[in-house]
Amino acid sequence: MQLKKGNGSYVYDQDNKKYLDFTSGIAVTSLGHCHPEVVAALQKQSDCIWHTSNLFEIQQQEQLALTLVKHTQLDLAFFCNSGAEANEAAIKLAKKFTKKNKIITFNDSFHGRTFGSMSATGQQKIKEGYGPLVSTFLHLPWNDIEQLKKQADNDTAAIMMEVIQGEGGIKIADLDFYKEVQEICEKNDILLVIDEVQTGIGRTGKRYAYEHFGLDPDIITLAKGLGNGFPIGAMLGKRKLAEAFGPGSHGTTFGGNPLACAVSQSVLNIIFHDEFLNEVERKGKNFKEQLEKHLIKFPSVKEIRGEGLLIGIECENAGELIINLEKKGLLTVPAGEHVIRLLPPLNVTDEELSLALNTIQRAFNNKYETVT
Ligand SMILES: Cc1ncc(COP(=O)(O)O)c(C=O)c1O
């Protein structure tokens, strides 16, 4: 199937069939397709200047950096073009700043597909066939405090994690686990790196998902929803780290160019407001409750979990159901082994959420009938 056109929460295929898009291009088009303010920002900047390189001051980049770090304990931003690149930057910075070698990441995590970020990723299937990988990373079981206590030591540069594992199946750890991670980092001078590529920019109802868990990261990485489909990534960090990343130590040609930054600024101008974020939280909570109410009767449904508008339905036959939902006009994405991932645009309406709920119920009813 080819998607030819998009408008708000809807996309249209080559035969002009209409779908409600609950993939958002895998957590990217958070304001829906062709949002007028984002289109206008793109058009306006494209008539002015697209690219200058970082040899010159870029006002749009400075403004975007300030918007991103506002309301956080972070001070500085580095811009790039994707989530994997943002994580590469974080890995390099953590090692250079701490002069230590080991970075702890977690089983079932996903951090990207460049050599470094793939090595960081805690999923064997992503790495198969690429030979020996970067030896820096130690993968530990997710949500296992004892293992973490045992393995975090003097040679540990960073603990790097998604606070909600996205690709791995919308997995949230216990609150105690996050608390322990923070304490271990503080006690051992370990940097806390949070990969917010999927969870950031309002997806979970907060600017960044780490805010749900009372964490104080040294570095966070962003991409996906940051540009609503225009490629842009970013690494935000605390001021102390800047000394390790002076001129010439890391960089990228395209990162943070005026065009990408102008588009991204228009996205944040809409999302980074408490009223908007509270709405994401409200809609996500209602939707999850409705899903629980209507689906829990199916024995094949194991759990419905998530935060804000990042929601997973863990169930048998997730793959088959996703195909069935598509036939019924609702696009969703798989995650992990058995999870239907729902990623509506953050400005989705209550009517669209009801329509999705109704479609999901019909798909489960069909499946249930064929099983019995
Ligand atoms: C948590 C997380 N980190 C990193 C990445 C990689 O981002 P990109 O595909 O932009 O390189 C992804 C992509 O799915 C992701 O979900």
Side-chain angles (χ1 to χ4, degrees), residues 15 31 59 77 99 140 193 201 224 273 290 304 350 369:
D15 303 318
L31 293 174
Q59 185 263 327
K99 301 187 179 64
L140 297 182
V193 179
I201 317 296
K224 287 191 182 278
H273 291 285
Q290 288 299 315
I304 295 159
D350 288 318
E369 275 161 21

Side-chain angles (χ1 to χ4, degrees), residues 26 81-85 87 110-113 162 167 195-198 223-224:
I26 318 189
N81 311 288
S82 68
E85 274 184 52
N87 286 334
F110 184 80
H111 298 293
R113 292 178 185 271
E162 308 162 76
E167 299 302 310
D195 179 340
E196 293 266 6
V197 168
Q198 184 152 166
K224 287 191 182 278

